[in-house]
């Protein structure tokens, strides 16, 4: 297995990477290029974009901010209301499995920022079915969340005729360097379908476990005509601001008393990410390890190496400590969907990437990044 020589990503990464002649991945190269950006100029660009979006007669919201209540949601809302001085409408897809700290952070946003906030909660019976169906179909029980997060705010934008959506970071660019920093990627139907939704859409779920179109109305992305007519545009704040998760988390804690998880997670060392779903850093992430041979500790360590918080050596120790752990929240998830652990393991094994895993005497084995040191 080839690993990036700067961060700790394997070439089998779920987010597509390319490696250059020095063995450095595209994610690291794009991250290096960001350090040379003139951020003052970018902030000015954003200011003029905000001016164009301002509804001068006050007859509508200026923009939508899709929020989960996380540190990024707070930062986006802070930037939009305090720096750009726009009037946003917050929109949340609520997948029913928030951690208590996540729920606390979410519920106080309308108060903390003095803004209007729509929180959409789908029927729990449908959510449980989607957990089960998508786990079996693609090894990802949280598909419904990716779908809701990338669909519902766009539906609201079209319905309310709000032209601007302010997203946070472009995930695939941040992790894997999908776009160069000067390409200013925006949210598109193609990105939603191919990446966030893994090439599945709401109609693939109809008929499974008795699900009907009417159960999935929130999952239907607006049509091209609707989008064109309403002129909705989804920008990423990460294209205009020198994004640093560690700094932003501390700032949001200081300014707004934003809460991180009180308990540590089983599979990563960071406590300030993914509080909107108790299984996101647990069983959902464990499945990434089963599939691709690495987990969220690797993702977090790569981000922290690139921002200069930890060394690659320290990152390897963290990967070694966390990536393989079978998390304790699995028990709760199995109860939630009514499944036995044996069935879970058997189903999960079907998704193992043959580039990563081999069977030796009945046990799954793979190369590890710390084996590099021996060579
Ligand atoms: Zn790298």
């Amino acid at each position: 297995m080839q690993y990036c020589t700067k961060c700790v990503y394997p070439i089998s990464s779920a987010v597509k990477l390319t490696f250059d002649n020095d063995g450095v991945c595209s994610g690291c190269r794009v991250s290096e290029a960001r350090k040379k950006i003139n951020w003052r100029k970018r902030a000015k660009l954003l200011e003029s974009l905000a001016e164009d979006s301002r509804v001068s007669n006050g007859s509508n919201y200026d923009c939508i901010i899709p929020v989960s209540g996380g540190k990024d949601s707070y930062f986006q809302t802070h930037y939009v209301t305090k720096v750009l001085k726009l009037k946003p409408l917050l929109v949340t897809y609520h997948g029913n499995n928030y951690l208590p700290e996540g729920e606390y952070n979410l519920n106080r946003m309308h108060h903390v920022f003095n803004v209007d906030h729509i929180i959409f909660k789908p029927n729990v019976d449908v959510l449980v079915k989607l957990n089960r169906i998508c786990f079996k179909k693609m090894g990802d029980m949280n598909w419904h969340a990716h779908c809701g997060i990338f669909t519902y705010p766009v539906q609201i934008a079209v319905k309310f005729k709000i032209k601007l959506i302010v997203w946070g970071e472009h995930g695939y660019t941040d992790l894997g360097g999908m776009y160069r920093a000067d390409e200013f990627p925006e949210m598109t139907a193609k990105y939603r379908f191919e990446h966030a939704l893994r090439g599945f859409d709401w109609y693939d779920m109809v008929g499974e476990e008795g699900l009907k179109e009417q159960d999935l109305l929130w999952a239907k992305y607006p049509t091209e005509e609707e989008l064109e007519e309403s002129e909705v545009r989804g920008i990423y704040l990460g294209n205009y601001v020198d994004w640093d998760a560690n700094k932003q988390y501390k700032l949001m804690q200081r300014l707004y008393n934003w809460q991180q998880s009180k308990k540590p997670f089983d599979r990563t060392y960071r406590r300030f990410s993914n509080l909107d779903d108790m299984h996101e850093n647990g069983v959902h992430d464990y499945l990434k390890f089963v599939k691709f041979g690495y987990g969220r500790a690797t993702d977090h360590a790569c981000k922290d190496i690139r921002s200069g918080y930890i060394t690659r050596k320290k990152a390897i120790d963290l990967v070694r400590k966390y990536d393989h752990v079978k998390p304790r929240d699995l028990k709760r998830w199995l109860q939630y969907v009514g499944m036995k652990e044996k069935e879970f393991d058997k189903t999960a094994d079907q998704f193992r990437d043959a580039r990563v895993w081999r069977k030796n005497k009945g046990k799954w084995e793979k190369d590890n990044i710390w084996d590099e040191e021996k060579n």
Side-chain angles (χ1 to χ4, degrees):
M1 182 62 58
Q2 187 184 359
Y3 294 92
C4 172
T5 52
K6 286 217 163 185
C7 70
V8 288
Y9 270 130
I11 198 162
S12 62
S13 155
V15 171
K16 296 280 167 283
L17 296 170
T18 52
F19 284 65
D20 67 14
N21 291 338
D22 296 319
V24 177
C25 79
S26 42
C28 283
R29 288 302 187 209
V30 166
S31 161
E32 278 167 19
R34 280 179 71 87
K35 288 173 187 146
K36 292 180 195 131
I37 289 175
N38 181 337
W39 290 109
R40 248 192 221 161
K41 228 173 168 178
R42 292 267 172 130
K44 282 262 174 299
L45 270 179
L46 183 57
E47 270 166 39
S48 81
L49 203 155
E51 261 343 289
D52 292 344
S53 310
R54 196 181 301 282
V55 180
S56 52
N57 68 1
S59 64
N60 202 353
Y61 298 99
D62 297 321
C63 66
I64 279 181
I65 314 177
V67 295
S68 65
K71 62 176 195 321
D72 294 350
S73 303
Y74 269 60
F75 182 74
Q76 283 156 256
T77 311
H78 165 82
Y79 204 92
V80 164
T81 56
K82 306 285 160 69
V83 181
L84 300 175
K85 301 197 186 313
L86 294 178
K87 174 88 175 171
L89 171 64
L90 307 192
V91 180
T92 298
Y93 169 84
H94 191 298
N96 195 45
N97 281 333
Y98 268 71
L99 284 170
E101 296 86 342
E103 193 90 52
Y104 168 84
N105 291 328
L106 176 72
N107 287 337
R108 56 199 288 279
M109 287 192 86
H110 68 123
H111 179 62
V112 167
F113 294 103
N114 279 322
V115 291
D116 299 344
H117 189 175
I118 295 177
I119 301 180
F120 179 76
K121 297 183 174 183
N123 169 338
V124 175
D125 180 53
V126 170
L127 288 179
V128 169
K129 284 180 179 168
L130 284 173
N131 263 257
R132 238 179 350 239
I133 294 164
C134 297
F135 167 59
K136 291 178 188 168
K137 231 186 227 304
M138 63 193 98
D140 179 2
M141 69 278 290
N142 278 355
W143 180 88
H144 71 90
H146 315 311
C147 180
I149 289 164
F150 281 98
T151 308
Y152 190 70
V154 186
Q155 279 189 0
I156 293 295
V158 168
K159 270 182 199 149
F160 287 3
K161 299 186 168 47
I162 302 168
K163 290 183 184 171
L164 182 69
I165 306 181
V166 182
W167 300 89
E169 263 188 310
H170 190 276
Y172 276 62
T173 295
D174 169 46
L175 296 173
M178 186 178 199
Y179 293 104
R180 288 194 321 271
D182 57 0
E183 287 181 296
F184 292 86
E186 298 197 353
M187 217 301 261
T188 60
K190 186 176 156 69
Y191 181 76
R192 168 192 172 271
F193 176 67
E194 289 180 4
H195 299 287
L197 271 63
R198 317 190 187 296
F200 292 89
D201 217 326
W202 65 273
Y203 42 77
D204 294 306
M205 311 305 156
V206 171
E208 303 265 2
E209 294 203 26
L211 286 183
K212 299 188 193 72
E213 181 173 353
Q214 272 191 325
D215 295 321
L216 297 160
L217 297 175
W218 51 269
K220 295 170 85 168
Y221 202 69
T223 62
E224 230 166 89
E225 293 78 51
E226 285 172 325
L227 289 168
E228 241 165 64
E229 199 188 313
S230 49
E231 298 171 60
V232 177
R233 176 179 179 194
I235 63 160
Y236 287 91
L237 192 53
N239 288 332
Y240 302 93
V241 172
D242 191 7
W243 200 273
D244 184 326
N246 286 280
K247 268 189 208 155
Q248 285 163 212
Y249 138 67
K250 280 186 192 135
L251 184 67
M252 294 306 107
Q253 207 177 30
R254 185 164 61 74
L255 294 178
Y256 305 111
N257 195 25
W258 185 87
Q259 303 284 317
Q260 67 169 359
S261 175
K262 290 189 183 74
K263 286 189 207 150
F265 292 110
D266 289 349
R267 296 189 37 78
T268 186
Y269 58 98
R270 267 195 190 180
R271 286 202 210 177
F272 60 67
S273 292
N274 307 105
L275 311 186
D276 56 333
D277 190 306
M278 64 177 85
H279 300 303
E280 187 67 24
N281 282 332
V283 53
H284 172 264
D285 184 57
Y286 174 71
L287 282 169
K288 186 154 82 179
F289 175 70
V290 171
K291 286 193 243 184
F292 303 106
Y294 75 100
R296 189 147 277 144
T298 291
D299 289 325
H300 289 161
C302 288
K303 285 170 186 254
D304 285 341
I305 290 173
R306 292 170 187 168
S307 324
Y309 288 101
I310 59 173
T311 62
R312 189 170 185 272
K313 193 169 177 299
K314 169 77 183 161
I316 292 174
D317 290 343
L318 290 166
V319 170
R320 192 170 192 163
K321 179 174 173 192
Y322 287 107
D323 262 7
H324 66 283
V325 174
K326 198 170 187 181
R328 284 169 288 180
D329 65 289
L330 173 60
K331 212 174 149 193
R332 190 270 176 189
W333 185 78
L334 292 172
Q335 265 168 0
Y336 184 56
V337 303
M339 193 182 288
K340 295 262 185 297
E341 190 166 348
K342 229 181 184 173
E343 187 188 351
F344 172 86
D345 287 335
K346 211 176 140 191
T347 309
D349 279 347
Q350 296 166 1
F351 295 102
R352 287 187 191 262
D353 187 330
R355 291 175 301 169
V356 177
W357 296 100
R358 53 184 178 265
K359 226 170 191 179
N360 185 6
K361 292 176 191 151
K363 284 199 167 160
W364 290 105
E365 270 186 5
K366 67 177 196 73
D367 296 335
N368 291 302
I369 191 166
W370 51 91
D371 296 331
E372 274 181 351
E373 292 161 14
K374 290 184 216 151
N375 301 334

